[in-house]
Amino acid sequence: MKGMITPMTTVTNSRTFTIGLVMAWYSSNIGVLLLNKYLLSNYGFQYPIFLTMCHMTACSLLSYVAIAWMRVVPMQSVKYGAQLGNIVILSIVFCGSVVSGNVSLRYLPVSFNQAIGATTPFFTAVFAYFMTVKMESWIVYLTLVPVVTGVVIASGGEPSFNMFGFIMCISATAARAFKSVLQGILLSSEGEKLNSMNLLLYMAPIAVLLLLPVTLYMEQNVIGITLALAREDKKIIWYLLFNSVLAYVVNLTNFLVTKHTSALTLQVLGNAKGAVAVVVSIMIFKNPVSVTGMLGYLLTVIGVVLYSEAKKRNK
């Protein structure tokens, strides 16, 4: 009959919606990464802490709009005391990871940044062992060998290698892994569990409060400098606004893709996203790459894929 919705139509619409979400997640992830690189390196806006504060401000405002007004997810309340203290700790680690990642983009090409970022499973396994005394099977630990070896090879073959940028990028990667393990420990009880959107709602304003004095101390007169830049080139304001909104869209689409697929699918898609980001960044910024560097990155990605498969079979 005309206008009748069949099960096949529903499945097709659902699949199209999921594909659209994945594309939005890819676009926002790669977009914010490339725009961060452009602003901090090519454009010459050398204020990564202020840029991170802009991201967190947008996440604070847009999280409230999405949850309180648009009701994307039900709002979850937070208990004062231990739970709020745990969220503050997570916010500090989160700030450290984002700031370190943004600082690294001033000194490293996106391709090398992504190669280092792919070692997150290694740091996650290390922190999980020392913080929870949780042992994985030997095959899981074995898959981490190519992950680390690949980055060592990529570092040796990276024409634009910078030691400070490398340390910042490693710090950002380790902090992301530390946050995920810490989050599992601190918010593991049923009474404290928060979905990622509600966690961001509470973490982002705390992050802004933490970053504000650091910004004022370490990047003095950054607001005055930004306004002076805006008088010369109004595009800087639009760059910062668009970049900040994209930072929130990354978190929103990350949550929605996980909700409509699975955490494992997200991990697989994330591995592919890193490779896409590398190719796109090389095409846009035309940074020099070596065969050794690309082989190292490829080895790391293979190691991450093997790690994901070993973890899945180990469950």
Side-chain angles (χ1 to χ4, degrees):
M1 287 178 65
K2 201 173 184 180
M4 182 181 287
I5 299 175
T6 64
M8 184 64 74
T9 305
T10 304
V11 170
T12 303
N13 290 342
S14 176
R15 190 174 296 156
T16 303
F17 179 71
T18 303
I19 292 170
L21 279 178
V22 172
M23 294 302 293
W25 181 59
Y26 264 49
S27 301
S28 58
N29 258 279
I30 296 171
V32 78
L33 184 67
L34 297 178
L35 194 48
N36 281 349
K37 175 64 180 175
Y38 175 74
L39 284 170
L40 295 167
S41 185
N42 297 58
Y43 189 85
F45 187 80
Q46 299 176 0
Y47 306 101
I49 305 174
F50 177 70
L51 183 63
T52 305
M53 195 177 77
C54 290
H55 289 177
M56 293 301 102
T57 303
C59 286
S60 302
L61 297 172
L62 295 175
S63 289
Y64 185 79
V65 170
I67 296 173
W69 293 359
M70 298 175 66
R71 304 193 185 281
V72 173
V73 293
M75 183 175 284
Q76 296 172 287
S77 59
V78 167
K79 302 179 187 71
Y80 286 99
Q83 189 181 19
L84 184 60
N86 291 340
I87 291 173
V88 171
I89 293 169
L90 287 170
S91 299
I92 293 169
V93 178
F94 183 54
C95 284
S97 69
V98 179
V99 170
S100 298
N102 284 341
V103 170
S104 74
L105 284 171
R106 277 188 60 189
Y107 302 95
L108 299 178
V110 173
S111 52
F112 189 45
N113 179 284
Q114 288 295 287
I116 299 169
T119 60
T120 302
F122 168 77
F123 290 104
T124 303
V126 170
F127 287 129
Y129 175 73
F130 284 108
M131 293 167 68
T132 66
V133 200
K134 180 186 174 185
M135 285 286 291
E136 300 284 358
S137 68
W138 67 270
I139 193 72
V140 172
Y141 290 120
L142 189 63
T143 60
L144 293 173
V145 174
V147 172
V148 177
T149 305
V151 169
V152 172
I153 293 170
S155 301
E158 175 54 50
S160 308
F161 182 84
N162 178 281
M163 181 53 75
F164 179 71
F166 177 76
I167 292 169
M168 285 293 100
C169 198
I170 284 286
S171 301
T173 305
R176 277 196 299 272
F178 182 64
K179 175 188 165 289
S180 67
V181 176
L182 195 62
Q183 186 175 322
I185 297 169
L186 297 181
L187 303 178
S188 58
S189 67
E190 285 300 322
E192 289 195 346
K193 275 186 180 175
L194 295 171
N195 62 50
S196 60
M197 294 305 296
N198 272 277
L199 183 59
L200 183 66
L201 172 69
Y202 294 111
M203 277 175 49
I206 296 170
V208 173
L209 293 175
L210 292 169
L211 288 168
L212 182 59
V214 179
T215 303
L216 294 175
Y217 178 74
M218 296 188 69
E219 298 178 344
Q220 294 177 8
N221 198 30
V222 63
I223 295 172
I225 293 167
T226 304
L227 292 173
L229 275 172
R231 281 192 286 271
E232 296 176 16
D233 183 7
K234 289 181 180 177
K235 286 186 290 187
I236 184 63
I237 300 297
W238 293 110
Y239 285 148
L240 290 173
L241 283 172
F242 183 60
N243 187 245
S244 300
V245 171
L246 265 186
Y248 173 72
V249 174
V250 168
N251 290 281
L252 176 63
T253 52
N254 187 299
F255 171 78
L256 292 174
V257 170
T258 307
K259 182 181 177 182
H260 288 272
T261 57
S262 68
L264 185 62
T265 302
L266 188 79
Q267 196 172 31
V268 173
L269 290 169
N271 296 337
K273 173 187 65 66
V276 174
V278 167
V279 173
V280 173
S281 70
I282 291 170
M283 289 171 63
I284 291 175
F285 297 112
K286 304 194 185 313
N287 55 280
V289 290
S290 66
V291 174
T292 305
M294 292 309 293
L295 286 174
Y297 178 64
L298 180 62
L299 182 60
T300 296
V301 172
I302 290 170
V304 171
V305 172
L306 292 173
Y307 171 83
S308 302
E309 188 64 27
K311 284 278 286 183
K312 184 174 72 174
R313 294 189 178 189
N314 202 36
K315 284 183 180 178

